[in-house]
Amino acid sequence: MNPKALYKISYGLYLITSRKGDLINGQIANTVFQISSEPVTIAVSINKKNLTHEYIKESKLFAVSVLAQDVPLSLIGNFGFKSGRDADKFEGVNYQRTGSGLPYVTDGTLSYLEARVIQEADAGTHTIFIAKLTAAELLKEGVPMTYAYYQEVKKGSVPKTAPSFVPETKEKAALNKYECSVCGYVYEPELGDPESGIAPGTAFEDLPENWVCPVCGAGKTVFEQK
């Protein structure tokens, strides 16, 4: 079986949020889709180990922030590679709340959806939450982020708890590329890091000492040459 066949499935990239009493949390997910139109129902797939899963199970509520193509990698890294058990992911992030008290980010977001869970399906490592839409608003016009764009253009990496995670093989390694040992982001000198002001063609050795991984914020010392 060739796991690369799964790469051809289309995905988006979303921020899923929920609450547990006064506590809030959120995570990045790529599996969100509409199921029906009357009533409008949507579904999300969430890893059972994640704190957001616990909050959705408790409150039966979740919100979806539909991310724009130009959303900063740092926001994806903050919600995709950190745990709400260890840090407040919303610190320093601009967000508002839906009528049910669920947070949605206002920067780098095209629209948000609010939904109430009506059914759950056990999917092994994940739970598929099926929910009835209770609110939805457009925030701005733009192009939504796709999983392919995130990986192929922004060079973003995938957390091990993602449903589409596939371990990299040796054949993907290449000289002069440097991989973050924390999140898997790969710095490619020929591409640079435009979001951080690093021009294409900048060698890893010439990066400023205060440069950090654009996804998870780790320093240069955790990068390994591939």
Side-chain angles (χ1 to χ4, degrees), residues 100-197:
S100 296
L102 304 176
Y104 63 91
V105 295
T106 54
D107 295 336
T109 300
L110 301 180
S111 63
Y112 78 82
L113 314 172
E114 178 195 77
R116 180 176 295 276
V117 176
I118 57 175
Q119 189 175 344
E120 300 177 15
D122 190 313
T125 57
H126 288 63
T127 297
I128 299 173
F129 294 102
I130 301 171
K132 182 179 179 180
L133 200 67
T134 54
E137 293 292 342
L138 285 172
L139 302 181
K140 68 175 184 178
E141 294 297 326
V143 179
M145 174 73 82
T146 65
Y147 205 51
Y149 188 90
Y150 168 68
Q151 289 189 300
E152 296 170 10
V153 179
K154 284 185 169 282
K155 302 300 179 182
S157 47
V158 183
K160 293 182 179 180
T161 55
S164 58
F165 175 76
V166 177
E168 287 192 359
T169 58
K170 292 292 184 180
E171 65 187 60
K172 294 190 71 174
L175 294 176
N176 300 323
K177 295 182 181 181
Y178 294 79
E179 182 178 46
C180 176
S181 61
V182 176
C183 73
Y185 168 82
V186 176
Y187 176 78
E188 300 184 44
E190 63 270 25
L191 300 178
D193 178 14
E195 286 190 6
S196 302

